[in-house]
Amino acid sequence: MEPLLGKNIGELQTICTGLGLKPFAASQIADWLYRKRVRSVDEMTNLPKAARAGLSRSYVVGRTGYVDMISSVDGTRKYLFPFGPGVEAVMIPDKDRSTLCVSSQKGCRMGCRFCMTGRGGWHGNLTPAEILSQFMEVDEAAELTNAVFMGMGEPLDNWDSVRRVIDILTAPWGFGWSPKRITLSTIGVTSDPHTGGSPLRRFMDECSCHLAVSLHNPFPEERAELMPMEKPFPIEKTLSLIREYDFTGQRRVSFEYIMFAGINDDKRHADALARMLRGLECRVNLIRFHRIPDSPLAPSPMPVIGQFKDRLNAAGVLTTLRASRGEDILAACGMLSGRKKEQ
């Protein structure tokens, strides 16, 4: 049975035509799916009974619930969904904001040395229905104000599905969100060997959501030690593409920089980072590393992080320290799914 969840208005119109329904029935189905958030076709009560029966023969709504949840003392909640070996979404409350950190793949093939998800390998892309299930099935679904594609996987490695989800989140017939409520995080996938195109350029051209780039080291050879995909996707190429676009308006670009003790946290790195970003309207988010099992990497001491932040700000690069959240609940993506698998 094919899921209706993830269908856009054009596809729903095609389905309605096949059932002999008027085109406006597509808007009714979209309303049931994305606004009223039903779980079954039978709940779409303004469709004729025969139409519901015909729809049910080939389609299901397609929502999938979570199988495990763990809460932090700071209110952060991590949810486990039964896709592949396990996929996680994290809800982060902050005053009047409730942000969902969404996964886009079953694992990840980028291989970053500091990432727990990468250790488990890649087990396929998530479908639009599986990504949307994360938005719709967490306990705080009705309260969500923002979304960040920063969970398991590289969003631009699954751009077709991620773009479809963003379209549904921002469409008036979908969730009706402003694109400014959504941020996509990437290592900078500037080329696709299969299509010859650039997923990063497609993202920049096809939607107006915010962009966050995982940078972590300004020296390419050192960055490659942390992030092997620096070789096929050099950070300089990513920055060159980004500089073609305007970030002086509402759309923002930020750079994520996890601080590792003795690896990327000295004055040399701060000065090189400031040179690299000079002239670009952006923000640097410093992130304290959350330890992961059996890794030699350690978080930089807070005084070192403070000095690094001050040096960047003094150089004219707006720099903030992201609050550390949920460290008591296996904060690194991939750890909850690993625990469930062991059980």
Side-chain angles (χ1 to χ4, degrees):
M1 300 283 275
E2 191 175 345
L4 290 169
L5 197 64
K7 301 289 186 190
N8 60 34
I9 199 72
E11 291 166 331
L12 293 176
Q13 286 171 348
T14 300
I15 291 170
C16 289
T17 300
L19 292 171
L21 295 171
K22 299 292 185 182
F24 70 81
S27 296
Q28 293 175 312
I29 295 174
D31 184 63
W32 286 112
L33 289 172
Y34 304 123
R35 295 295 178 90
K36 297 185 174 72
R37 306 189 182 193
V38 297
R39 296 179 181 276
S40 73
V41 172
D42 286 340
E43 294 177 70
M44 301 180 183
T45 52
N46 59 353
L47 296 180
K49 190 173 181 180
R52 280 180 273 155
L55 198 57
S56 295
R57 279 193 286 271
S58 299
Y59 298 95
V60 291
V61 167
R63 286 173 60 173
T64 303
Y66 65 87
V67 294
D68 197 6
M69 185 272 287
I70 187 168
S71 297
S72 167
V73 293
D74 64 20
T76 300
R77 285 185 164 190
K78 176 175 280 192
Y79 292 88
L80 179 67
F81 288 83
F83 309 133
V87 164
E88 297 164 14
V90 181
M91 196 289 298
I92 307 165
D94 184 17
K95 298 177 183 176
D96 58 346
R97 293 163 63 104
S98 294
T99 300
L100 189 68
C101 184
V102 188
S103 292
S104 55
Q105 295 183 301
K106 304 166 192 173
C108 186
R109 53 184 167 190
M110 298 299 110
C112 298
R113 307 297 187 211
F114 50 84
C115 178
M116 193 71 182
T117 299
R119 289 189 182 184
W122 181 76
H123 304 276
N125 288 326
L126 290 175
T127 66
E130 290 168 338
I131 298 173
L132 284 166
S133 287
Q134 297 171 62
F135 285 94
M136 302 174 80
E137 290 292 334
V138 298
D139 294 346
E140 302 81 9
E143 307 162 18
L144 296 177
T145 62
N146 297 80
V148 290
F149 284 87
M150 294 183 183
M152 301 173 77
E154 163 56 62
L156 294 186
D157 196 32
N158 187 20
W159 174 238
D160 287 337
S161 289
V162 170
R163 183 200 171 180
R164 179 177 288 261
V165 169
I166 289 174
D167 287 347
I168 291 169
L169 289 174
T170 56
W173 48 262
F175 284 55
W177 281 22
S178 164
K180 306 305 181 290
R181 296 167 62 179
I182 303 168
T183 299
L184 180 142
S185 177
T186 177
I187 67 164
V189 182
T190 49
S191 61
D192 184 336
H194 303 293
T195 67
S198 169
L200 179 57
R201 188 176 295 282
R202 286 188 61 194
F203 166 77
M204 297 300 297
D205 291 340
E206 295 172 10
C207 78
S208 56
C209 299
H210 300 310
L211 174 67
V213 177
S214 295
L215 202 158
H216 310 311
N217 201 304
F219 299 107
E221 65 282 1
E222 294 183 22
R223 186 171 187 257
E225 289 295 316
L226 289 170
M227 307 170 69
M229 287 298 173
E230 160 67 22
K231 294 180 180 178
F233 308 129
I235 188 61
E236 290 292 356
K237 188 174 180 180
T238 297
L239 285 167
S240 178
L241 189 153
I242 288 171
R243 287 183 184 276
E244 295 178 27
Y245 294 83
D246 180 20
F247 291 97
T248 59
Q250 289 188 315
R251 190 180 206 180
R252 298 193 306 267
V253 60
S254 59
F255 294 90
E256 311 296 305
Y257 198 95
I258 300 175
M259 301 287 291
F260 302 105
I263 302 293
N264 65 348
D265 60 354
D266 62 19
K267 294 177 181 179
R268 180 176 66 97
H269 291 93
D271 293 344
L273 186 58
R275 289 192 299 271
M276 174 178 276
L277 301 180
R278 185 171 294 139
L280 183 61
E281 189 72 25
C282 66
R283 174 192 300 263
V284 171
N285 289 321
L286 301 181
I287 303 166
R288 181 176 170 273
F289 177 56
H290 285 185
R291 289 182 181 272
I292 59 176
D294 305 317
S295 171
L297 296 170
S300 299
M302 288 305 296
V304 172
I305 296 176
Q307 291 167 9
F308 196 92
K309 177 171 73 75
D310 292 344
R311 194 170 184 88
L312 284 173
N313 279 316
V317 179
L318 179 61
T319 305
T320 59
L321 173 61
R322 181 186 294 171
S324 184
R325 303 294 299 271
E327 194 163 4
D328 60 316
I329 58 166
L330 311 173
C333 276
M335 293 177 72
L336 181 56
S337 60
R339 188 188 72 169
K340 193 72 175 178
K341 192 159 50 178
E342 289 171 3
Q343 290 175 347

